[in-house]
Structures are given as C-alpha cells and as structure tokens.
Amino acid sequence: MSWQTYVDEHLLCDIDGQRLTAAAILGHDGAVWAQSDAFPQVKPEEISAIMNDFSEPGSLAPTGLPRRYKIHGYPSFSFKPSPGLTHITGPGGVTIKKTNLSIIIGIYDEPMTPGQCNMVVERLGDYLVEQGF
C-alpha cells in the first residue's frame, strides 16, 4: 500500500459523518511521504518545532503553530492523551501523532470534534508503530 493510500483511505475516512479537512504523513525530517490536496505546505522549521515539542513538552505552546493550520485565537495544547499524541485546539484543530519514523498530522474544522480527529490520527499512528514505522 502506498503512503498516499494511507492518507486517502485511513486519514480522510468518514467518522460519524465527519472527516478531516486535511492530513499528511511526514518524515521526522519534514519530508512529505503523502498529503491531501488541502494540506498546507510546511516549513522545515515548523517540523523542527513540532519534533522538539515531543521531546520537550510545552515548548511550542507559547508560539503555537501558524494560523494557516486553522488554529485561530490562542493556540494551546489542550491535552496529551497518550505518548506521542498532541492536540491543538481553536474553532478547529490539529492532532499530531509521532511514530518511530514519521509524524501524522490531521487538521479538522467544526463540527468534527477533537475526539474524532484524535481517533483517526491515533488509529493510523498506532498501526504504523506496530509495523515498525
């Protein structure tokens, strides 16, 4: 299965009538493995900041992510339900799951809920971890 298939079929899937707005699978170095058409271009320094937050939790909270990630107002980390999973909220949000070799990013808008987004991203992330990715 190609990486694009994981994005198209596993991240952009329907959950209770809702789906992610955009999604991507990136390498720890920021290389794009696959992404949806609507996924914003990421800069290497943004991926570095995200990766740094996994090793130093809270380091990204003061600045958040750029507004182009549909996080308006005051981006903040609302919870870390499991190791390697970060969720950032606003009127929509972003869930980021770190695996052994990649990061999975799911972006959603309301009425999708944070829990629905987390479920989609974490399910694929857990599978990739089990497969050694």
Side-chain angles (χ1 to χ4, degrees), residues 12-69:
L12 298 179
C13 62
D14 187 86
I15 300 292
D16 298 328
Q18 304 300 320
R19 55 183 42 205
L20 296 175
T21 305
I25 302 172
L26 308 172
H28 286 184
D29 61 356
V32 177
W33 293 7
Q35 66 184 24
S36 65
D37 292 337
F39 193 80
Q41 183 177 357
V42 290
K43 298 176 184 172
E45 58 269 18
E46 293 167 338
I47 298 303
S48 293
I50 291 168
M51 292 300 296
N52 186 54
D53 194 76
F54 281 109
S55 59
E56 297 176 31
S59 64
L60 192 54
T63 59
L65 290 173
R67 290 186 184 274
R68 62 193 171 91
Y69 289 96

Side-chain angles (χ1 to χ4, degrees), residues 63-132:
T63 59
L65 290 173
R67 290 186 184 274
R68 62 193 171 91
Y69 289 96
K70 298 184 184 289
I71 304 167
H72 306 286
Y74 52 94
S76 63
F77 290 97
S78 57
F79 54 87
K80 292 196 177 209
S82 64
L85 186 72
T86 294
H87 187 87
I88 306 166
T89 61
V94 177
T95 296
I96 304 169
K97 171 77 175 181
K98 179 182 174 193
T99 71
N100 300 329
L101 302 174
S102 68
I103 58 173
I104 301 164
I105 303 174
I107 301 172
Y108 72 96
D109 285 323
E110 293 176 343
M112 185 175 220
T113 66
Q116 289 170 321
C117 183
N118 289 348
M119 181 173 53
V120 170
V121 172
E122 191 159 28
R123 182 175 53 202
L124 179 59
D126 289 346
Y127 172 76
L128 292 181
V129 168
E130 289 172 9
Q131 302 304 309

